[in-house]
Amino acid sequence: MVPELIFQAPRKGKPPLHLADLDVAGCASAVAALGLPAFRASQLAHHYYGRLIADPRQMTDLPAAVRGLVAETLFPALLTAARDVACDAGQTRKTLWRAADGATVESVLMRYPQRTTVCISSQAGCGMACPFCATGQGGLTRNLSTAEIVEQVRAAAVAARDDFGERLSNVVFMGMGEPLANYAKVVAAVRRIIAAPPSGFGISARAVTVSTVGLVPAIGKLADEGLAVTLALSLHAPDDELRDTLVPVNTRWRVREALDAARYYADVTGRRVSVEYALIRDVNDQPWRAELLGRRLRRALGRLVHVNVIPLNPTPGSAWDASPKPVEREFVKHVRAQGVSCTVRDTRGREISAACGQLAAEGG
């Protein structure tokens, strides 16, 4: 069993069943239960994953007499856009979604020269309690269903196609929530994302990133799933003393254990691990910590690691702030001096509260 570590009990209700909750066999069973011929299962899946249609009334090859029944039983409304904001000349778009039970989650669509990426949420809120994170400050509401996760991807794929004239190429589980604390639903969603149509969106596994604050048993289990997605370990400190404060789950699984699990993931999948490091002024940005980070990563992962330094996107009223650019440059230099690949992440959407949880915290 993978421990679903949370620091606050989830609230609110269970979302209704949706086609995207079902695997191929489940979809076939659901269609049979409606008294429809077996071929309707692949037909519905093709509409949803291949054509990105979630409204049976638009499925013109479906008999008109059954569209209402199919809509009610397999395509309930899961997420409604409560607010949309954009910046970067429309290239960054953030959506606040409201679920049927009132829970809110966020996704961000980002267009780059060579790719179009959506950052999605896996939980409404988060129970990991990291003090510099807007989502962590709000606590956990509940886990998202597989379909609620997948619907964020489908909506982003529609926007990328209709507004940008491009195919959605990348999916990152770096929005609200700790993905590995909602393990079963996240893994099922990943399978839908990477499966070829009509069973999924056909996005390359190499273009899917799953982040975690370091739920060690779940990292090992994910390695053995055979998915070979990119693992992103949100480390934020190389020493246990500071990480206990910045990432409270560290009191259960220490830095060494998290890095050992990351090494196991790299060995099993052959994929380079991404280490996320939010740089916070006068907290974790000292040169000696950069050197310690580099040494520990070199010993644990060798060349199978890349550090993403993330300039902190401060939350309103927080004492945490981003490190100055000269400090940031020095930090990167010291990590690289230890033989570890390190770059600063391109930050998007500061003016639209694009850090996860900020839009929800503003009340939608």
Side-chain angles (χ1 to χ4, degrees):
M1 291 291 292
V2 175
E4 297 204 355
L5 180 70
I6 57 175
F7 291 93
Q8 178 181 335
R11 308 182 297 275
K12 298 202 174 187
K14 182 179 180 180
L17 185 72
H18 187 280
L19 179 89
D21 288 309
L22 305 173
D23 58 15
V24 173
C27 185
S29 296
V31 165
L34 294 178
L36 300 177
F39 75 88
R40 296 294 182 196
S42 60
Q43 187 180 54
L44 293 175
H46 173 70
H47 277 296
Y48 184 79
Y49 294 109
R51 301 182 61 197
L52 307 177
I53 295 174
D55 182 358
R57 288 179 290 272
Q58 299 175 22
M59 301 176 186
T60 55
D61 55 356
L62 194 66
V66 302
R67 291 176 195 169
L69 176 64
V70 170
E72 180 181 350
T73 55
L74 291 177
F75 292 92
L78 295 178
L79 300 175
T80 303
R83 187 179 174 192
D84 288 292
V85 289
C87 70
D88 302 321
Q91 306 298 287
T92 302
R93 305 178 182 186
K94 184 166 190 174
T95 301
L96 177 69
W97 301 100
R98 195 173 305 281
D101 64 353
T104 55
V105 297
E106 301 168 357
S107 64
V108 183
L109 181 64
M110 295 162 285
R111 185 189 191 193
Y112 297 94
Q114 304 298 325
R115 68 188 188 280
T116 302
T117 299
V118 66
C119 177
I120 61 173
S121 298
S122 55
Q123 296 178 308
C126 184
M128 297 297 105
C130 300
F132 58 90
C133 173
T135 307
Q137 293 170 28
L140 178 66
T141 298
R142 64 169 172 84
N143 287 332
L144 297 188
S145 68
T146 297
E148 286 174 322
I149 297 169
V150 172
E151 265 288 277
Q152 296 172 67
V153 179
R154 187 195 65 83
V158 170
R161 179 194 65 192
D162 295 351
D163 300 341
F164 300 153
E166 297 177 359
R167 185 176 183 272
L168 182 70
S169 59
N170 294 69
V171 178
V172 296
F173 285 78
M174 293 184 176
M176 298 174 69
E178 161 55 51
L180 297 190
N182 188 14
Y183 186 89
K185 305 302 184 186
V186 164
V187 167
V190 169
R191 294 191 187 281
R192 312 285 191 273
I193 291 166
I194 67 177
S199 302
F201 297 119
I203 295 173
S204 169
R206 299 182 68 87
V208 177
T209 298
V210 176
S211 69
T212 179
V213 293
L215 274 61
V216 166
I219 293 172
K221 186 173 182 181
L222 184 64
D224 296 332
E225 294 282 354
L227 297 173
V229 298
T230 298
L231 177 72
L233 174 61
S234 297
L235 198 63
H236 306 312
D239 54 305
D240 288 319
E241 182 180 11
L242 178 59
R243 196 167 190 264
D244 284 349
T245 298
L246 296 183
V247 187
V249 75
N250 196 72
T251 61
R252 182 160 182 178
W253 293 295
R254 314 302 277 168
V255 171
R256 179 187 56 78
E257 294 172 281
L259 295 182
D260 286 348
R263 179 64 199 223
Y264 178 77
Y265 189 89
D267 286 343
V268 170
T269 64
R271 300 300 312 280
R272 186 172 69 167
V273 172
S274 175
V275 168
E276 311 296 301
Y277 198 101
L279 209 59
I280 308 170
R281 183 196 296 261
D282 299 328
V283 175
N284 66 348
D285 60 358
Q286 301 87 352
W288 71 265
R289 279 201 163 94
E291 293 170 2
L292 178 60
L293 175 67
R295 288 198 305 272
R296 297 199 74 167
L297 293 180
R298 186 185 69 241
R299 287 198 298 266
L301 287 151
R303 295 189 177 276
L304 292 173
V305 64
H306 174 81
V307 178
N308 274 318
V309 170
I310 308 166
L312 185 72
N313 196 343
T315 58
S318 173
W320 311 94
D321 196 8
S323 300
K325 288 299 178 183
V327 174
E328 179 184 281
R329 287 191 292 269
E330 280 295 304
F331 190 91
V332 171
K333 184 178 74 173
H334 283 286
V335 174
R336 289 175 175 172
Q338 301 303 313
V340 172
S341 173
C342 180
T343 55
V344 178
R345 178 183 291 171
D346 176 24
T347 55
R348 289 284 194 98
R350 285 178 177 266
E351 61 266 46
I352 59 169
S353 302
C356 64
Q358 288 189 330
L359 201 59
E362 293 169 6

